[in-house]
Amino acid sequence: MPEALVSATPPRLVPEPGDIQHGYELPCEERRVHGAPVRLFTFPEGSQEPSRTVVCLPGLGASGRSFAPMRPLASDWRLLLWTPPLQTPLTHTPLQWNVDALARPEAALPERFALVGSSFGSLIALAFALEHPERLKALVLVSPVASVQRIRRGAVALSTLVRIPKPFAYLFAPTVARVMGGRYLPAEGRAEIVREGRRISPLEMLRRLKDILAASYLEELGRLKVPTLILHGGRDKLVPLSYARDVAERIPGARLEVLRQASHLPYMSHTDAFNAFVDDFLRQHAA
């Protein structure tokens, strides 16, 4: 589905799929990877140095556009905002398809790069780091998901309501976006969460949710040898802070930073603090 021009009007509670929100307008490159199209959003004014590549993996129903608030880092880092296909091939689970796709030559990624994963994206990032540790310079996990035993299943299932048909979307979708983004997420960010979630089919959303509900990586985290930063919102209603602490304790040498007023999407709601933590970490381990 083609995407329209950026909206100049105040955000709607339930935007149309093509109604891109102000601040989230980014050029897109499409690559055919592993039999399906992957969209990579980029910052053309930013660094183009391959050795400073940082691939960002979005959450359950989001696209790479959700990382648009990381723009201030683009001058020093080559940010590639990975967006999985709207319909993952049925030959693989969405989780395994993304892990395989990231490693394939047609993804055209450098031999080594840094990886940032948020929520469902953190699950992909963890799986990739465990299968391909030699490819990663550094790993940043945001609101990490490594096992369904430690997350609120009902809250994760609730996040799929951004995809509910109209007119019910006017009742549920904005509330879900507020829960995910927290009280400090700007209206444009909330609208963008709803907009992107509504681009994905219910079947695809359920397939990704099934991957989360089947996740079980806790016992494997001890063999992770990649420098790891965990960023977590102190008011996250989907993934409790105690779970982020548990993940950090299991990964050798992992560093945990808590953004006390943030919820599940700190890179959208607390941009300055989030970007500062990520930049500092990348300078230590990925420069």
Side-chain angles (χ1 to χ4, degrees):
M1 179 185 300
E3 294 189 311
L5 296 177
V6 179
S7 172
T9 60
R12 299 178 181 177
L13 290 177
V14 182
E16 295 301 322
D19 188 13
I20 302 166
Q21 300 303 298
H22 177 68
Y24 290 87
E25 59 273 27
L26 291 171
C28 175
E29 174 190 346
E30 187 170 292
R31 298 177 184 176
R32 189 80 181 176
V33 182
H34 204 12
V38 170
R39 292 180 297 156
L40 285 170
F41 295 100
T42 60
F43 300 95
E45 74 281 7
S47 173
Q48 302 300 314
E49 174 54 50
S51 67
R52 300 180 73 83
T53 296
V54 180
V55 179
C56 300
L57 307 176
L60 184 67
S63 79
R65 284 189 192 277
S66 63
F67 291 105
M70 292 180 69
R71 185 186 300 270
L73 300 185
S75 59
D76 291 320
W77 303 99
R78 180 182 176 233
L79 301 177
L80 299 180
L81 314 183
W82 179 277
T83 303
L86 294 177
Q87 180 64 56
T88 307
L90 296 177
T91 52
H92 297 71
T93 67
L95 171 61
Q96 193 58 53
W97 185 92
N98 279 278
V99 171
D100 292 350
L102 285 164
R104 293 180 74 91
E106 60 265 37
L109 299 178
E111 187 61 30
R112 299 189 72 227
F113 54 92
L115 194 56
V116 176
S118 170
S119 192
F120 179 68
S122 76
L123 183 61
I124 298 171
L126 273 174
F128 184 87
L130 289 165
E131 288 191 30
H132 305 282
E134 75 286 351
R135 297 290 307 272
L136 294 184
K137 294 181 176 182
L139 180 65
V140 178
L141 303 176
V142 187
S143 309
V145 175
S147 171
V148 74
Q149 299 172 16
R150 297 292 198 277
I151 64 176
R152 297 186 173 104
R153 300 187 188 196
V156 173
L158 181 69
S159 67
T160 63
L161 288 179
V162 296
R163 189 60 186 84
I164 198 168
K166 293 181 180 178
F168 303 105
Y170 289 99
L171 295 175
F172 294 108
T175 300
V176 172
R178 180 175 285 276
V179 169
M180 294 175 66
R183 62 182 295 189
Y184 296 104
L185 181 65
E188 290 81 5
R190 289 197 298 272
E192 189 64 14
I193 292 171
V194 175
R195 187 192 75 83
E196 283 291 354
R198 292 182 61 77
R199 285 174 55 82
I200 298 174
S201 71
L203 174 61
E204 177 67 14
M205 189 75 85
L206 289 174
R207 291 181 69 209
R208 297 181 188 185
L209 179 61
K210 185 177 179 180
D211 276 339
I212 292 177
L213 296 178
S216 182
Y217 285 104
L218 284 180
E219 300 306 316
E220 299 184 56
L221 297 182
R223 65 181 179 87
L224 197 58
K225 305 302 182 185
V226 180
T228 303
L229 170 66
I230 297 172
L231 291 168
H232 204 82
R235 297 185 174 184
D236 193 331
K237 304 299 184 185
L238 278 73
V239 181
L241 177 56
S242 60
Y243 172 62
R245 291 196 177 103
D246 184 27
V247 171
E249 289 172 359
R250 291 170 182 264
I251 299 175
R255 168 184 163 191
L256 171 64
E257 298 289 353
V258 180
L259 292 86
R260 295 290 175 185
Q261 300 300 314
S263 186
H264 194 62
L265 305 170
Y267 50 95
M268 297 178 74
S269 64
H270 291 70
T271 303
D272 291 345
F274 179 91
N275 287 345
F277 282 131
V278 172
D279 188 49
D280 175 69
F281 181 73
L282 292 177
R283 289 182 186 279
Q284 293 180 47
H285 299 286

